Amino acid sequence: MISLTDVSYAYPDAEALTLEHVDLEVERGSIAGIVGASGAGKTTLAKIIAGFIPHADGGELSGTVRVDGRDLSTGSLVDAVSVVGLVIQNPFNQISGAKYTVREEIAFGLENFGTPRDEMQRRVDEVAALLRIEHLLDRSPYALSGGQQQLVAIASMIVLRTPVIVMDEPTAQLDPAGTRMVFDVLSALRETGITIVIFEHKLELLQQHADRLHVVADRSIVLSGAPDDVLADDRLAQWAVGTTRYVTAGRLARERGLLPPEVPLPVSFEQAERVFDRERSVR
Ligand SMILES: Nc1ncnc2c1ncn2[C@@H]1O[C@H](COP(=O)(O)OP(=O)(O)OP(=O)(O)O)[C@@H](O)[C@H]1O
């Protein structure tokens, strides 16, 4: 569904490449989690997958960016937005500024695509129920908290039903309950065949929901794999990427001789419970 091959990119007037030789494959109807240290190039990669680079930001892009069979690096931005919805990092910047109510704001993209009025209303109501923001529909988008704006920004993308949704830290301003809800919504969307790429620091939620994890470091994607394998990889620290608290606990237990080296590190709560219960019963 998404296939980046040997992609390199430099921002306009930049002396060095921000990304170099990036390869990435994401299957249709899956959730890909992308992690990396601050400044590693995650937002840049999100904009490349969504076609905003090079069409909006300029700069020098090489390699191929294929999404849903189209080459976004050579197609137009209009082409790209019909295939990929991008939820950007700061929800305040995503708000169009052209609308008085949240309902109109969520409908804005559909309006631009010429969607009939009754269908537009129906889809806005549907997505508002999904994200539990029905009570905000008549409010001004500017009179919302950061977390509420974030949910409106997510709703504005989901409502478009693009086959791919790219999200750059979509839960940064949400409380734990809001964050879990967004991940549950993403999992439900995956069941409908939508492909999701999420750039996120909340590794335990990625472990639960993502099908694959990819690590951005040293200007490229340095590791891709099943979430459990990636999160237990010893090299994450060298790339300034954290891991789950269960892996950290497992490493501490190994250091203290409480967990034999041949036992795989637990990555989730359930795995930790199993591993430590077994070790206790052996002792
Ligand atoms: N418009 C721009 N022009 C020039 N350089 C840029 C531009 N935007 C980002 N960069 C540089 O590209 C690099 C990667 O930035 P990017 O925002 O993609 O990282 P990130 O991993 O998303 O970081 P964070 O987690 O802090 O958001 C940084 O060195 C940044 O300074």
Side-chain angles (χ1 to χ4, degrees):
M1 172 45 115
I2 298 173
S3 181
L4 269 59
T5 313
D6 199 15
V7 168
S8 298
Y9 176 69
Y11 278 103
D13 305 322
E15 283 172 14
L17 291 169
T18 291
L19 291 173
E20 203 171 1
H21 304 307
V22 173
D23 291 313
L24 172 70
E25 298 288 330
V26 181
E27 269 184 33
R28 183 183 301 273
S30 70
I31 297 181
I34 305 201
V35 299
S38 184
K42 300 182 300 298
T43 296
T44 307
L45 182 58
K47 289 199 280 186
I48 289 173
I49 299 171
F52 278 68
I53 285 176
H55 301 297
D57 287 36
E60 286 287 323
L61 180 75
S62 63
T64 53
V65 181
R66 291 193 77 76
V67 180
D68 203 22
R70 299 168 210 224
D71 187 342
L72 297 194
S73 51
T74 54
S76 70
L77 186 56
V78 175
D79 255 1
V81 295
S82 62
V83 188
V84 191
L86 174 64
V87 178
I88 59 177
Q89 209 173 64
N90 182 347
F92 191 78
N93 293 337
Q94 186 125 17
I95 290 173
S96 67
K99 298 296 175 188
Y100 291 110
T101 66
V102 167
R103 176 180 288 284
E104 291 171 316
E105 179 65 34
I106 297 174
F108 187 54
L110 291 175
E111 217 178 340
N112 288 338
F113 283 117
T115 311
R117 194 146 196 87
D118 51 344
E119 187 188 336
M120 209 155 72
Q121 297 278 10
R122 193 169 42 76
R123 278 167 65 172
V124 171
D125 286 332
E126 245 173 53
V127 81
L130 193 67
L131 291 166
R132 295 180 214 147
I133 52 170
E134 299 104 315
H135 59 295
L136 302 179
L137 286 175
D138 296 323
R139 303 255 300 266
S140 159
Y142 290 103
L144 304 178
S145 71
Q148 289 169 330
Q149 282 182 344
Q150 198 144 40
L151 292 175
V152 171
I154 293 170
S156 307
M157 276 311 133
I158 290 178
V159 80
L160 297 175
R161 297 191 186 155
T162 49
V164 177
I165 296 178
V166 176
M167 298 181 148
D168 192 6
E169 294 187 38
T171 68
Q173 312 218 25
L174 297 178
D175 58 23
T179 300
R180 273 195 303 278
M181 181 193 63
V182 166
F183 272 92
D184 288 343
V185 167
L186 296 183
S187 290
L189 288 174
R190 166 179 55 189
E191 297 311 309
T192 69
I194 289 180
T195 308
I196 294 154
V197 182
I198 179 165
F199 294 74
E200 183 56 78
H201 293 291
K202 293 170 184 157
L203 302 174
E204 285 165 26
L205 283 157
L206 286 180
Q207 189 272 334
Q208 289 165 27
H209 293 270
D211 297 293
R212 304 266 298 167
L213 281 192
H214 306 270
V215 179
V216 182
D218 303 334
R219 296 203 290 269
S220 196
I221 290 187
V222 290
L223 178 65
S224 296
D228 284 2
D229 295 338
V230 169
L231 290 168
D233 196 299
D234 290 335
R235 293 168 297 174
L236 288 186
Q238 112 198 11
W239 296 315
V241 174
T243 184
T244 68
R245 63 192 122 163
Y246 311 107
V247 174
T248 308
R251 287 209 176 101
L252 276 174
R254 265 189 191 170
E255 273 171 36
R256 294 180 186 181
L258 299 170
L259 193 65
E262 67 277 10
V263 175
L265 289 168
V267 176
S268 64
F269 174 76
E270 291 74 19
Q271 291 173 23
E273 207 178 21
R274 241 190 345 262
V275 165
F276 290 123
D277 267 354
R278 205 171 41 224
E279 287 308 311
R280 204 174 42 206
S281 65
V282 170
R283 273 155 207 278

